[in-house]
């Protein structure tokens, strides 16, 4: 399925994040692509908010990957399971191998986790085919294509 969004303001990014959280059950990979400033981190912040993450989500550029506790996921069956949002910025990875060294395969194959990867095209070679691809573009307007 494919869906296109035109984001005129932050409220519309928030709405899109809500739509996408509605698709999630746990175990998904969200592959975000798009240039610097196209809105990837902003989207991730709204996604985290919608998942009930209490901490402030900041760009993981300097630590490569951050982990947050998910407090709510509507469709989850067992509410007692501890779920985590992992937020990775692949921009500064020198190679896909470095992503594997971070333990990414184990993280994204666990249905307890939701993994968001900014600059996912940098590690396209190792990304599982089953993923939600979200392409941000910023030309005359902010346009986002979601493939899931
Ligand atoms: N839908 C939007 N409407 C207006 N400004 C936005 C929107 N989405 C993001 N921005 C702004 O664009 C800037 C860059 O966004 P950011 O999410 O950091 O981009 P990226 O992570 O892709 O580099 C930020 O100042 C952010 O507030
Ligand atoms: Mg960013």
């Amino acid at each position: 399925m494919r869906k296109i969004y035109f984001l005129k303001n932050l409220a519309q990014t928030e709405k899109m994040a809500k739509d996408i959280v509605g698709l999630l059950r746990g175990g998904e990979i969200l592959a975000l692509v798009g240039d610097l400033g196209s809105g990837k981190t902003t989207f991730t912040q709204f996604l985290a908010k919608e998942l009930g993450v209490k901490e402030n989500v900041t760009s993981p550029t300097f630590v490569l990957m951050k982990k947050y506790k998910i407090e709510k996921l509507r469709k989850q069956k067992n509410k007692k399971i501890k779920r985590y949002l992992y937020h990775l910025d692949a921009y500064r990875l020198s190679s896909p191998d470095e992503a594997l060294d971070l333990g990414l395969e184990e993280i994204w194959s666990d249905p307890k986790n939701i993994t968001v990867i900014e600059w996912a095209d940098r590690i396209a070679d190792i990304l599982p085919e089953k993923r939600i691809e979200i392409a941000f573009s910023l030309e005359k307007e902010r346009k986002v294509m979601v493939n899931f």
Side-chain angles (χ1 to χ4, degrees):
M1 290 245 284
R2 166 178 284 197
K3 198 164 172 186
I4 295 179
Y5 290 88
F6 292 94
L7 305 178
K8 294 198 172 59
N9 51 50
L10 295 175
Q12 293 185 351
T13 302
E14 183 166 25
K15 169 74 175 63
M16 179 177 86
K18 283 183 180 170
D19 282 2
I20 288 170
V21 166
L23 303 170
L24 304 178
R25 290 159 193 276
E28 291 84 1
I29 300 169
L30 275 60
L32 313 188
V33 301
D35 288 341
L36 194 70
S38 60
K40 302 180 296 298
T41 300
T42 304
F43 164 76
T44 308
Q45 288 165 336
F46 283 122
L47 186 92
K49 182 180 168 197
E50 197 53 29
L51 290 169
V53 169
K54 289 180 185 141
E55 305 104 294
N56 217 0
V57 172
T58 52
S59 179
T61 306
F62 297 102
V63 292
L64 299 178
M65 186 162 68
K66 288 188 181 171
K67 178 185 182 181
Y68 303 95
K69 173 102 169 44
I70 291 173
E71 301 290 348
K72 58 172 191 182
L73 186 59
R74 224 181 323 143
K75 287 184 177 170
Q76 74 182 58
K77 292 194 185 92
N78 184 347
K79 304 261 183 212
K80 285 182 185 151
I81 294 177
K82 284 206 172 79
R83 294 173 183 278
Y84 295 95
L85 171 69
Y86 283 87
H87 184 199
L88 170 85
D89 192 326
Y91 188 75
R92 279 161 34 101
L93 293 179
S94 51
S95 69
D97 277 349
E98 206 180 331
L100 298 178
D101 289 344
L102 291 169
L104 259 189
E105 281 180 313
E106 201 177 321
I107 289 166
W108 69 39
S109 57
D110 187 335
K112 290 197 296 295
N113 300 328
I114 290 169
T115 310
V116 175
I117 305 170
E118 294 193 37
W119 296 97
D121 41 333
R122 299 264 172 139
I123 56 166
D125 290 350
I126 61 161
L127 275 185
E129 249 173 67
K130 192 166 169 7
R131 61 189 189 238
I132 299 171
E133 188 124 352
I134 308 179
F136 294 78
S137 60
L138 174 57
E139 284 166 32
K140 277 194 217 112
E141 53 199 348
R142 291 180 186 274
K143 180 180 171 189
V144 181
M145 270 200 288
V146 184
N147 281 290
F148 56 101

